[in-house]
Each structure stands twice: as C-alpha cells, then as structure tokens.
Amino acid sequence: MKSNLDRFKYILVCVGIAFVMLSYYVYQIFFTANFGNKEDSKEYVLYIRSGATFQDVIDTLDKNKAYDDKTSFAFIAKMLGYQEHVKSGRYIIPVGSTNLQVVRKLRSGAQDPIRITFNSIRLKSEFIERIGGKFSFGKDTLGRLLSNPDICKKYGFDTSTVLAMFLPNTYEFYWSLSVTDFMNRMKQEYDTFWTQERKDLASAAGLTPVQVTILASIVDAETNQPVEKSIVAGVYINRLNIGMPLQADPTVKFALGDFAIKRINHDLIEAAGSSPYNTYKVLGLPPGPINMPSITTIDRVLHYQSHDYLFFVADPARPGFHTFNEDYRSHVNKANTYRKSLNKRNIH
C-alpha cells in the first residue's frame, strides 16, 4: 500500500515538474523576445506582398535573420490562425518583440504607414523613379499610368500637365495601396487645395489652376528668394497680357534637358529650336510644368504683385537677387553689367 502511495507521489511530482516546464516553455515562446535580440539589432521592416503565403513570410524572415527561433514563431502563428490568413502590408517589428506581439500585428493587418515628401522634382520620370519604388505597385506601374493619356484625362490632366496634380508636401500612405488609390488620394489633395478662393484668384489673373502651376514652376526655377516670387510672377503675367514671349531661361534648360547650364545664350536658344518649352521662340506658357513648384510659390503666383515691370536680370551686387525694370534700355544696361560679372568669373 505504501509502495503504491509512493509511486503516486512520484508520478504526481513528475507531472508537476512537466507542467511547470511546459508552462515555462509556453511562456517563453509567447512572451519572451524573439525578434531583434542581437546587440546591434534595429527595428525590422517586413514587407508582405499581395498573395503572399505564410511560407513567403517565413522565407523573408529567415533571409533577413529577423528572429532567433523559427519554430516557436511558426507554432504561435498556427495557434492564432495566422498561417492561413496572411495579409499584405508593411510592418515595423520593434527590437525585443515577442512572437505573440508580432503574430497579432500581422494577423490584424495593422500596417505601419510610410511618410513620403514630394519636393525638388523636375521631371515626371524623376517623380516615377523616386516615388513609385516606395510602394508595392512599383515604378513601372506608376510610369505606365502617368504616360496613359486616357488615365491622365480621367483626372483632368494630360501627360504633360499631370505632374501638376502632385502638390509638394509630406503625406502618409500604406505601402500596399493600389496605384489607383494613390492617384485618387493625390487628386483629392489637389481638389482640396484648389479652393474656390484660389480658383477665383487664378481666373482674375487670366489663368487656369494648371496654368498657375506651370507659371509657378518657372518662378520657382527663376528665384529662391521668397520676397521676389510674387514680383517675378507679375513680370510674366505682364508679358502674357501683352503677347510678349516669356523668354524664361529655365524653360530653355528644360527643353535641352540640361539643368547644369549656368548661362543661357543665343546658341542654346537656337539649339532648343521649336520645342514647346522654348519660351524664347514659342508664345505663351509651355505645355506643362518644368518642375514641381512649392505650394508657397503657387500662392505667390496667385497673389502676384501688380506692377509695370517687363524685365529682370540677376543682380551681381546681391547674389540670388534680381533687379527689375520697366523699359528695355534700362534692362539692357543691367544685363550687360551682369554679363561682365559672369565673364570675370569665367562662367560661360
């Protein structure tokens, strides 16, 4: 009898030990950090494409050595039903994350947004290259869409003006959104910006919103000085109003595709030929923006300064600034002074 009791106690102790060990193991795999435990670890960003399987997720994590123990992660994923319900997206996995935290995040599809800033972009191709690659839809898809006349027309633009729809700012997106959702969001931002008040100001200047953006792109390329932007805009509006060519140097650079040119001369103007962007030879505004102008510059064009200036030239005495003139003779004198300063500095 005593022997049976001892055996029962022994079994009970063994079961207790096994339970404690199992409980400890379960605790470990659920609540102990399994991600980013190395000394030099940083948060890991996991990208899961649409249609990916759990094996694809495991392969990505393995390849990047994101976790310490694959088996425990897969076990928790199976227990919580994630293996059969993989959701695409971009997920940030902080250093020291547990299996439970990561699986819950992935299973819920709780993506982390990306912040994207549009600025200092000259060409549509540059925009496609810089922005398209930040999303799951990729550069090629965005490029095809922005080169499609029917798609551009759907949003109220053409293939030359569509860059005007993208207002320089910082935006938050989900990496996995579709290219259509991206375009719809940008059009919504554009429509929100172009309030009735702004439309009325554009109309008063004899311009459409797209034309305002085109003019703003020229102004942005002409001067970095905020105090000058509305004055420069006024010069170009004066020229438009009297049917005078804009004669904007930045448009010649755009026509030639060479933005490193420091000095526009007769030969370069001739080289640009009859390009619609050569505003020395073609009247009116070019067919599209020559860069992505800032919101500030767009507003300065809308609030352009009313004056009688028709000419302006860089001021050698104040680098970065310009002098403005109403008559051509005064302008020529100032321009000659500026040319001499360029010659002294061997700028050709």
Side-chain angles (χ1 to χ4, degrees):
M1 188 75 176
K2 186 176 180 181
S3 176
N4 290 337
L5 183 60
D6 289 341
R7 189 178 298 112
F8 176 74
K9 289 180 178 178
Y10 175 76
I11 293 172
L12 191 62
V13 169
C14 288
V15 170
I17 292 173
F19 177 77
V20 170
M21 291 179 64
L22 179 62
S23 298
Y24 179 73
Y25 176 71
V26 170
Y27 178 84
Q28 287 285 100
I29 65 174
F30 269 89
F31 302 108
T32 299
N34 190 32
F35 291 79
N37 288 331
K38 297 181 179 63
E39 203 170 303
D40 60 345
S41 291
K42 298 178 181 178
E43 66 178 23
Y44 174 67
V45 183
L46 173 63
Y47 293 92
I48 304 175
R49 294 196 169 275
S50 178
T53 65
F54 180 69
Q55 186 59 51
D56 293 326
V57 175
I58 286 291
D59 290 344
T60 301
L61 294 173
D62 277 343
K63 179 181 177 181
N64 293 281
K65 299 179 181 178
Y67 48 31
D68 294 332
D69 181 46
K70 174 169 68 175
T71 302
S72 63
F73 174 74
F75 176 73
I76 301 301
K78 184 66 176 177
M79 282 191 65
L80 297 184
Y82 172 64
Q83 291 194 14
E84 296 77 24
H85 297 91
V86 173
K87 296 177 181 177
S88 62
R90 172 185 178 272
Y91 303 91
I92 295 176
I93 301 177
V95 171
S97 294
T98 66
N99 287 324
L100 183 61
Q101 290 171 328
V102 174
V103 171
R104 280 179 171 171
K105 182 171 190 171
L106 299 181
R107 185 185 63 179
S108 67
Q111 294 188 57
D112 293 282
I114 53 176
R115 291 173 64 84
I116 293 180
T117 300
F118 305 159
N119 58 16
S120 303
I121 293 175
R122 289 194 182 100
L123 304 171
K124 184 169 65 173
S125 58
E126 185 182 349
F127 176 74
I128 292 166
E129 182 71 24
R130 189 188 302 183
I131 304 302
K134 296 184 181 295
F135 295 93
S136 63
F137 53 72
K139 293 178 284 189
D140 292 343
T141 299
L142 181 61
R144 286 192 298 271
L145 188 147
L146 296 182
S147 299
N148 186 318
D150 293 332
I151 296 295
C152 292
K153 184 178 180 180
K154 170 187 170 184
Y155 291 99
F157 301 88
D158 58 40
T159 55
S160 296
T161 62
V162 69
L163 197 66
M165 189 175 82
F166 303 94
L167 296 168
N169 213 331
T170 298
Y171 303 95
E172 282 196 352
F173 302 95
Y174 286 120
W175 171 78
S176 60
L177 91 170
S178 69
V179 69
T180 300
D181 287 341
F182 172 70
M183 290 292 289
N184 291 343
R185 165 75 184 281
M186 290 294 89
K187 183 56 163 61
Q188 183 181 44
E189 296 284 349
Y190 178 86
D191 290 340
T192 299
F193 173 79
W194 280 101
T195 60
Q196 190 58 52
E197 180 183 0
R198 285 190 170 101
K199 290 177 181 177
D200 290 343
L201 286 169
S203 180
L207 303 171
T208 66
V210 170
Q211 289 173 327
V212 169
T213 301
I214 293 172
L215 181 52
S217 73
I218 297 173
V219 173
D220 248 355
E222 287 283 16
T223 180
N224 292 321
Q225 303 299 330
V227 295
E228 284 193 349
K229 290 183 184 292
S230 60
I231 307 174
V232 172
V235 171
Y236 285 128
I237 288 175
N238 286 345
R239 291 181 181 180
L240 287 171
N241 288 339
I242 64 172
M244 175 182 172
L246 292 184
Q247 298 179 336
D249 288 359
T251 65
V252 177
K253 296 179 184 180
F254 187 90
L256 295 171
D258 186 350
F259 301 103
I261 296 172
K262 296 183 181 299
R263 186 173 181 177
I264 297 297
N265 55 35
H266 176 74
D267 290 342
L268 291 175
I269 293 170
E270 290 302 311
S274 59
S275 165
Y277 288 91
N278 184 355
T279 58
Y280 275 85
K281 290 184 174 290
V282 179
L283 285 174
L285 290 164
I290 62 171
N291 57 54
M292 190 179 284
S294 69
I295 287 174
T296 299
T297 303
I298 292 173
D299 276 334
R300 288 188 182 275
V301 170
L302 290 172
H303 295 87
Y304 70 93
Q305 192 175 121
S306 180
H307 52 60
D308 294 323
Y309 298 136
L310 284 174
F311 308 97
F312 65 100
V313 64
D315 186 348
R318 296 188 306 155
F321 287 85
H322 297 80
T323 58
F324 297 85
N325 295 281
E326 298 177 17
D327 64 283
Y328 184 66
R329 184 179 296 277
S330 297
H331 169 68
V332 168
N333 291 335
K334 295 289 177 62
N336 286 336
T337 301
Y338 178 61
R339 289 190 189 96
K340 289 177 183 177
S341 74
L342 292 179
N343 292 336
K344 285 182 179 178
R345 289 180 285 161
N346 288 319
I347 297 176
H348 301 289

